[in-house]
Amino acid sequence: MRVGLGYDAHRLVAGRPLILGGVEIPYHLGLQGHSDADVLAHAIADALLGAVGAGDLGQHFPDRDPAYKGISSLILLNKIMTIVRERGYHLINVDATVVAQAPKLKPYISQMVATLAQTLRISPEAVNIKATTTEKMGFTGTGEGLAAYAVVLVDQAG
Ligand code: MG
């Protein structure tokens, strides 16, 4: 068995949709980035790549590559699951935390779990998503941006 850790942060800006875990969340700001800037999907992606010793997200999907401009991060996650499988591993579980002062994410957590589980090809029971604030401290606390942490466990495929 192997574990992987992922972390990501993106700036909140006007004129962008807010996509977290593949789910569009109604909010007056969205995350800035080359792809859809889904900070939660990116943290999970890096955790998966870390667990199988395959580098990081930017190495596989460079943010200067026009092919990935505006791309759904679920497509990237799907490609990464192929890498995980090619390396001889299967995913056991994901645990992640989104750090956001606002908006309140609780109403969308179950939809994020369902969406991510489908993309990661595992049971929703194996995907846990949490949300927390930083009590108004730091860049997530002031609303400058959002961050996400993820841990995954993989096992060698039968
Ligand atoms: Mg990112």
Side-chain angles (χ1 to χ4, degrees), residues 8-10 37-39 42 57:
D8 196 24
H10 281 262
D38 184 336
V39 70
H42 291 184
L57 189 62

Side-chain angles (χ1 to χ4, degrees), residues 7-10 32-35 37-43 46 57 73:
Y7 170 77
D8 196 24
H10 281 262
Q32 188 174 46
H34 185 69
S35 66
D38 184 336
V39 70
L40 172 58
H42 291 184
D46 261 351
L57 189 62
S73 297

